[in-house]
Amino acid sequence: MQKYDYLIVGAGLFGCVFAYEATKAGKRCLVIDKRDHLGGNVYCENIDGINVHKYGAHIFHTNDKQIWDYVNQFAEFNNYINSPVSISKGKLYNLPFNMNTFYQLWGTKTPDEAKRIIENQIKEYGCENPKNLEEQALSLIGKDVYETLIKEYTEKQWGKKATELPAFIIKRLPVRYTFNNNYFNDKYQGIPIGGYNKIINGLLKGIETKTNIDFFENKEELSQLASKTVYTGKIDEFYNYKYGNLEYRSLRFENTRLEKENDQGNAVVNYNDATIPYTRTIEHKHFEFGKQKHTVVTKEFPEQWSKDKEAYYPINNQENQKKYQQYKALSLKENSIIFGGRLAEYKYYDMHQIIASALQKVNKELG
């Protein structure tokens, strides 16, 4: 006998929003996750009073007032603004590329001076039909910014030479001719005070949840518990890799507690040089303006993905997209399974996009 209306596989943002809305509409939901905690990649681990973003920095930003109001139901947000800095060959640069960055590179003081240098470099090094990421970047920003702040970082992140990466990875580059270090252009930005777990706990309040449950160990049995399954895991795994596995990049995180109040003076510091194995370091207390006497810093190492590792970034090249379209075609034939989220849709989503997608799917489902 079916005990639930929806079995929700995966307690990330997509699954939690779906469960919250369905429950509000009077449906019975069970949320399961194979990890030992709820919240997916937005989960925060409290380490000695500091909310550590366990799966990398998560900064909420959106221009959509409805989405902003939606998350604010569950937590109050602070006014954190993401302003990362980048280290290249021992020198510090501001991100995103702006007048501060150009001054640090060339000593330029006016937008006209900076534009002139970039335009001349695009003329010299760019091309009309870029065939790879390197050509694309040179055609958008010129040689100096590319070689100083993009090339080695990107090659580390993807584990491939920039000349082997598709051009579409860099569709556009944020270039600002103002002295503005705000990484996002979005109107609404911040970090939930007390961490993202507050939002997850608010979404799942009163809903039955089970952790340490691997859906694929008891797929048939679990599926029979509910009329429909909301699946947020890897779509290729759902179909037992029928068309081969989709590729991802993975990440590994190393946390260090330091007995000092402030280690790097900023939440996020990027490391461009190929000689440094990690891409960035995150000092979590700065997300919430912490005043603790100690700090926790995380190094983020990009890694080759394998089936026993977490899948973070889809490698959206033509070969993988072709495979994904075959899996998607199968998923569209399902009547009792709803696929949603980053892994099920093989798509990189920001948090506000995941919430919007979940709301859209649950509203369509509930009519």
Side-chain angles (χ1 to χ4, degrees), residues 120-222:
N120 288 340
Q121 290 193 4
I122 288 170
K123 262 183 214 159
E124 190 174 348
Y125 301 103
C127 58
E128 265 189 44
N129 297 301
K131 292 179 191 69
N132 56 52
L133 186 143
E134 180 165 296
E135 289 180 359
Q136 175 79 319
L138 289 168
S139 306
L140 288 170
I141 197 74
K143 187 173 185 249
D144 291 352
V145 176
Y146 169 66
E147 291 192 343
T148 309
L149 295 165
I150 298 172
K151 181 179 161 64
E152 290 177 54
Y153 186 93
T154 306
E155 290 180 343
K156 255 197 296 194
Q157 193 177 30
W158 292 101
K160 285 180 165 52
K161 293 283 175 204
T163 48
E164 295 166 13
L165 289 163
F168 68 76
I169 288 178
I170 298 183
K171 288 192 178 116
R172 56 193 177 82
L173 286 167
V175 180
R176 291 192 193 139
Y177 293 100
T178 57
F179 291 89
N180 176 7
N181 299 323
N182 180 348
Y183 196 78
F184 302 114
N185 282 315
D186 298 302
K187 186 174 179 180
Y188 307 106
Q189 301 182 42
I191 302 281
I193 297 165
Y196 284 95
N197 297 4
K198 286 190 85 167
I199 293 173
I200 297 302
N201 294 341
L203 286 164
L204 294 177
K205 191 178 180 183
I207 297 170
E208 194 178 341
T209 61
K210 289 181 181 178
T211 51
N212 296 305
I213 301 280
D214 188 334
F215 176 65
F216 293 102
E217 281 178 12
N218 289 296
K219 189 177 172 181
E220 295 306 313
E221 198 182 309
L222 286 164

Side-chain angles (χ1 to χ4, degrees), residues 257-262 285 291-295:
R257 178 188 157 129
L258 300 168
E259 299 310 313
K260 54 161 97 167
E261 276 190 42
N262 184 8
K285 69 188 296 181
K291 298 282 187 279
Q292 297 90 342
K293 297 286 182 204
H294 60 280
T295 192

Side-chain angles (χ1 to χ4, degrees), residues 77-90:
F77 279 69
N78 66 20
N79 62 343
Y80 175 82
I81 295 292
N82 192 32
S83 306
V85 292
S86 199
I87 297 176
S88 177
K89 309 290 181 278

